[in-house]
Amino acid sequence: MANHKATKKDVRQSKKRNERNRYYGKTTRNAIRDLKAVTEKATAEKDFTEVASMIDKLAKRNVIHKNKAANLKSKLAKKVNTLA
């Protein structure tokens, strides 16, 4: 690593962003896991909108790829729609 002020600042910023992205990614994965465990349709539909929003935000921030976000939302929507 170069000993420039700008380089040191960039390292600090990237570390901070990495921690933030890991937190949001893990939180979203936990929400997806909880949504998959739900068995009531009304609860699942309410939770699905929140989880879909979280997934969209991850894709917008380039934490996950936009196609992965679309695939996740599609699979979750299919699961929610099959609940009786």
Side-chain angles (χ1 to χ4, degrees):
M1 183 181 85
N3 289 319
H4 297 288
K5 285 178 72 174
T7 307
K8 290 180 179 179
K9 180 178 179 179
D10 187 44
V11 169
R12 288 194 311 268
Q13 287 177 328
S14 66
K15 183 178 178 184
K16 183 170 58 177
R17 288 184 191 123
N18 180 264
E19 289 175 4
R20 185 185 311 129
N21 289 339
R22 284 177 57 192
Y23 170 78
Y24 285 128
K26 185 64 175 174
T27 304
T28 304
R29 284 196 302 274
N30 289 341
I32 290 169
R33 181 195 62 208
D34 294 341
L35 177 62
K36 287 179 180 177
V38 172
T39 57
E40 297 174 5
K41 188 168 180 88
T43 308
E45 287 176 345
K46 185 179 76 69
D47 292 345
F48 174 71
T49 57
E50 296 171 8
V51 172
S53 174
M54 294 170 79
I55 292 171
D56 286 336
K57 286 176 187 171
L58 288 182
K60 183 178 77 174
R61 294 183 183 120
N62 290 322
V63 176
I64 60 174
H65 195 273
K66 63 178 185 168
N67 290 351
K68 181 182 175 86
N71 289 336
L72 281 171
K73 290 196 308 182
S74 173
K75 288 178 183 178
L76 289 173
K78 193 181 292 186
K79 171 129 177 83
V80 169
N81 288 334
T82 58
L83 293 175

